[in-house]
Amino acid sequence: MFKKVFEYAGPHKKDLYIATFIVLLSVLMGVLPFVLAYQVISPLVMGNAVDTKYVCIRVIGVLICLILQAILYGWGLDVSHKAAYSTLLRLRTSLQKRFEAVPLGFIQDKGTGTIKKLFVDDVDSLEVLLAHSLPEGIANLMIPIAIYVAMFFIDWKLALLSLASIPISFAAMMIMYSVGMKKMGPYYMAVVKVFNKDAESYERFRKDISDYRDYTLEWYKAAWPWMAIYSSLLPCTIILTLPLGAWFVLCGFSTLPDLILVLCLSLSIGIPLLKSLSFLPTMPQLNYKIAALEQVLETAPLQQTDAVFHGKNYDICFDHITFGYEKSQPGPDGQPMVTMDEVIHDISFTAKAGQKTALVGESGSGKSTLLHMLGGLDTPTSGSVILSDKDLYSMKEDQLAVFRRRKIGFVFQAFNLVSSINVWENIVLPLGLDGKKVDKAYVNDIITTLGLEHRIYNLPNQLSGGQQQRVAIAR
């Protein structure tokens, strides 16, 4: 269950163990006051004399246990959070190394939004699971199990009665999930902003929000009663122990001190039991979520060698190029089978320097993919892209990056302007990356030619589609 967690935790794995142990001690400190209460209640009920000193010692013991419970809980979560953030750092670093090795075309297809979500939102979502579910889930489960074992040694009949709340609560929980899933169903909310139609766009937005509110309220009305029964009954571990246990004592099947002790112990594990069952369902998600993060960047790494580009002319030759996407599908035996979905099949042609070459074909026929391979954004499954007798994919990634920056001009369909910098900064960005001095007169001449002279301080989102395209051309 925790294989991938410990793989990325590395040296911080021991901190997760330590955090779990500290939280376990904290939960134990919450149980001990009930044992001390039993030591006071039992002799009083049995008619034995109890002096003030005896009671005061146990009252002080209860206070000490409660203080230690709070201190240990805070300490344990402090250790678990440090271990969690260190683990997430190692996970991000590992994903970064994968990210650096994949072709740029793969990143282009995924989109910057997906990549940002991967490194920020998706990784951050693991923090709660690592820092809370792991130490608190395990600790709050182990103590109730130990208490139940102890109760079976005290009186197995009373111990069985104390377990009654669990199946009853689980039945309510299963009904809650069943009703909730029926009410949930497929729900989709889409809002499209249409230029010059603000009233219509915002009316659709208002309607979608209202529909979502009504949908949520309907779900809660259906699921909440069962949720309330589940959360109320689960910690109520004496629901059968008190009435039937009293009858057992009257019939001589059990002793009164044993009943009092089992009642005290049953009351002590109600909250830990509720916490453990709220955390435990989330724990299997750890491995699944980490595997899902790795899957996002699952592709063949960019092919590269130590060779350096020494081309002298710019004839472009596509030599028996084949390109496909890997996809997973069930095999004959039901196990996942990786197949290749080819989109380009054994293409060969030469684009001569000084001539205009057009790639013509229907949508999805592979025109953009061929251009991606010319710029080193995608790696062909087989074949070579040759520029002046040199295979582009025989270069290392950093050498290929320099080649792209200096020799290839890209105008992407999505433009790919940097949203946080203005028009001028977007245009001169490649020069800065290449360490070259900006020729302001030359750049201004390009800007004027493209009719962007009044837009140089605007951000990309302040431009029309055509203006963004011209900025991409200038760049």
Side-chain angles (χ1 to χ4, degrees), residues 318-361:
F318 288 82
D319 184 23
H320 297 287
I321 289 291
T322 297
F323 180 84
Y325 297 99
E326 289 185 354
K327 65 178 183 180
S328 180
Q329 61 184 23
D333 57 355
Q335 297 299 316
M337 180 178 63
V338 177
T339 60
M340 184 67 67
D341 182 16
E342 286 191 358
V343 294
I344 295 177
H345 313 279
D346 195 25
I347 295 294
S348 297
F349 72 91
T350 298
K352 291 289 186 179
Q355 296 180 353
K356 292 180 180 178
T357 301
L359 299 180
V360 181

Side-chain angles (χ1 to χ4, degrees), residues 13 34 47 65 88-89 94 96 105 191-192 210 374 397 447 473:
K13 180 168 64 174
F34 290 88
C65 287
L88 296 185
L89 173 62
S94 175
Q96 177 194 345
V191 179
V192 179
S210 299
L374 168 61
E397 170 58 23
I447 290 173
I473 293 171

Side-chain angles (χ1 to χ4, degrees), residues 36-216:
L36 295 172
Y38 158 75
Q39 292 179 346
V40 174
I41 295 171
S42 181
L44 289 175
V45 171
M46 298 303 294
N48 299 327
V50 177
D51 58 25
T52 305
K53 181 180 178 182
Y54 180 87
V55 175
C56 288
I57 290 174
R58 278 144 187 83
V59 170
I60 294 172
V62 170
L63 292 175
I64 292 173
C65 287
L66 294 177
I67 293 171
L68 286 175
Q69 181 186 20
I71 293 173
L72 290 169
Y73 181 74
W75 182 22
L77 289 188
D78 178 63
V79 174
S80 70
H81 275 84
K82 289 178 179 177
Y85 285 122
S86 298
T87 302
L88 296 185
L89 173 62
R90 289 170 59 86
L91 175 59
R92 279 194 174 100
T93 303
S94 175
L95 292 175
Q96 177 194 345
K97 291 178 180 178
R98 287 172 175 246
F99 182 74
E100 292 171 349
V102 300
L104 284 178
F106 178 82
I107 304 301
Q108 172 76 12
D109 292 339
K110 288 292 182 182
T112 55
T114 300
I115 300 302
K116 179 182 177 182
K117 181 175 179 293
L118 170 70
F119 280 93
V120 181
D121 301 336
D122 292 346
V123 174
D124 281 346
S125 69
L126 295 172
E127 182 269 330
V128 173
L129 297 177
L130 284 170
H132 293 276
S133 296
L134 195 58
E136 290 192 74
I138 293 175
N140 281 287
L141 178 66
M142 290 180 67
I143 293 299
I145 289 175
I147 296 299
Y148 275 122
V149 171
M151 286 194 291
F152 269 94
F153 278 102
I154 295 167
D155 189 315
W156 66 270
K157 300 181 295 298
L158 298 176
L160 284 176
L161 292 176
S162 68
L163 287 170
S165 66
I166 296 178
I168 297 174
S169 302
F170 266 104
M173 183 176 66
M174 295 307 295
I175 296 174
M176 176 193 74
Y177 279 124
S178 176
V179 171
M181 290 304 293
K182 288 178 182 177
K183 282 288 182 182
M184 189 174 294
Y187 188 85
Y188 177 72
M189 180 174 69
V191 179
V192 179
K193 177 69 173 69
V194 181
F195 289 107
N196 299 322
K197 291 190 177 182
D198 288 353
E200 180 182 338
S201 296
Y202 287 119
E203 175 60 25
R204 290 175 61 187
F205 178 72
R206 186 199 66 78
K207 183 178 182 303
D208 282 342
I209 294 297
S210 299
D211 289 346
Y212 181 72
R213 176 203 61 196
D214 297 339
Y215 154 77
T216 304

Side-chain angles (χ1 to χ4, degrees), residues 27 34 42 61 64 105 143-144 150 160 194 225 242 269 277 282 313 315 317 320 360 371 381 400 419 426 443 455 462:
V27 177
F34 290 88
S42 181
I64 292 173
I143 293 299
L160 284 176
V194 181
L242 183 58
I269 60 174
L277 292 182
T282 65
N313 65 64
D315 286 351
C317 178
H320 297 287
V360 181
L371 293 175
T381 305
L400 191 56
S419 61
N426 264 287
V443 175
R455 294 288 188 177
Q462 297 171 326

Side-chain angles (χ1 to χ4, degrees), residues 391-417:
D391 185 356
L392 298 186
Y393 291 96
S394 65
M395 289 187 282
K396 280 189 172 181
E397 170 58 23
D398 55 350
Q399 296 163 347
L400 191 56
V402 173
F403 166 77
R404 276 194 300 263
R405 193 163 60 237
R406 295 178 180 176
K407 304 297 183 182
I408 300 288
F410 286 100
V411 181
F412 292 101
Q413 290 174 324
F415 311 134
N416 286 350
L417 302 179

Side-chain angles (χ1 to χ4, degrees), residues 175-437:
I175 296 174
M176 176 193 74
Y177 279 124
S178 176
V179 171
M181 290 304 293
K182 288 178 182 177
K183 282 288 182 182
M184 189 174 294
Y187 188 85
Y188 177 72
M189 180 174 69
V191 179
V192 179
K193 177 69 173 69
V194 181
F195 289 107
N196 299 322
K197 291 190 177 182
D198 288 353
E200 180 182 338
S201 296
Y202 287 119
E203 175 60 25
R204 290 175 61 187
F205 178 72
R206 186 199 66 78
K207 183 178 182 303
D208 282 342
I209 294 297
S210 299
D211 289 346
Y212 181 72
R213 176 203 61 196
D214 297 339
Y215 154 77
T216 304
L217 290 175
E218 284 296 320
W219 186 89
Y220 269 104
K221 285 179 182 178
W224 185 255
W226 298 105
M227 194 183 303
I229 292 173
Y230 156 70
S231 57
S232 300
L233 286 181
L234 185 60
C236 188
T237 50
I238 63 170
I239 189 170
L240 291 182
T241 311
L242 183 58
L244 294 181
W247 182 72
F248 284 175
V249 171
L250 291 174
C251 295
F253 300 140
S254 301
T255 65
L256 184 56
D258 286 347
L259 175 61
I260 296 171
L261 179 55
V262 169
L263 287 174
C264 288
L265 292 176
S266 298
L267 290 171
S268 72
I269 60 174
I271 299 302
L273 199 59
L274 187 61
K275 282 186 176 181
S276 68
L277 292 182
S278 65
F279 282 122
L280 285 178
T282 65
M283 290 169 66
Q285 297 179 23
L286 279 168
N287 267 2
Y288 170 77
K289 285 197 169 189
I290 293 175
L293 292 176
E294 295 173 337
Q295 187 66 32
V296 173
L297 298 178
E298 192 66 39
T299 188
L302 184 68
Q303 299 174 11
Q304 50 185 312
T305 68
D306 295 329
V308 181
F309 180 75
H310 295 294
K312 298 182 183 297
N313 65 64
Y314 297 104
D315 286 351
I316 301 167
C317 178
F318 288 82
D319 184 23
H320 297 287
I321 289 291
T322 297
F323 180 84
Y325 297 99
E326 289 185 354
K327 65 178 183 180
S328 180
Q329 61 184 23
D333 57 355
Q335 297 299 316
M337 180 178 63
V338 177
T339 60
M340 184 67 67
D341 182 16
E342 286 191 358
V343 294
I344 295 177
H345 313 279
D346 195 25
I347 295 294
S348 297
F349 72 91
T350 298
K352 291 289 186 179
Q355 296 180 353
K356 292 180 180 178
T357 301
L359 299 180
V360 181
E362 62 184 12
S363 177
S365 61
K367 303 183 298 295
S368 297
T369 304
L370 278 172
L371 293 175
H372 282 182
M373 286 187 285
L374 168 61
L377 299 181
D378 276 324
T379 304
T381 305
S382 62
S384 303
V385 180
I386 300 172
L387 183 55
S388 188
D389 302 322
K390 185 66 179 179
D391 185 356
L392 298 186
Y393 291 96
S394 65
M395 289 187 282
K396 280 189 172 181
E397 170 58 23
D398 55 350
Q399 296 163 347
L400 191 56
V402 173
F403 166 77
R404 276 194 300 263
R405 193 163 60 237
R406 295 178 180 176
K407 304 297 183 182
I408 300 288
F410 286 100
V411 181
F412 292 101
Q413 290 174 324
F415 311 134
N416 286 350
L417 302 179
V418 181
S419 61
S420 58
I421 60 179
N422 62 35
V423 168
W424 174 275
E425 293 165 332
N426 264 287
I427 292 173
V428 301
L429 179 61
L431 296 174
L433 294 174
D434 209 26
K436 292 183 177 179
K437 186 177 179 180

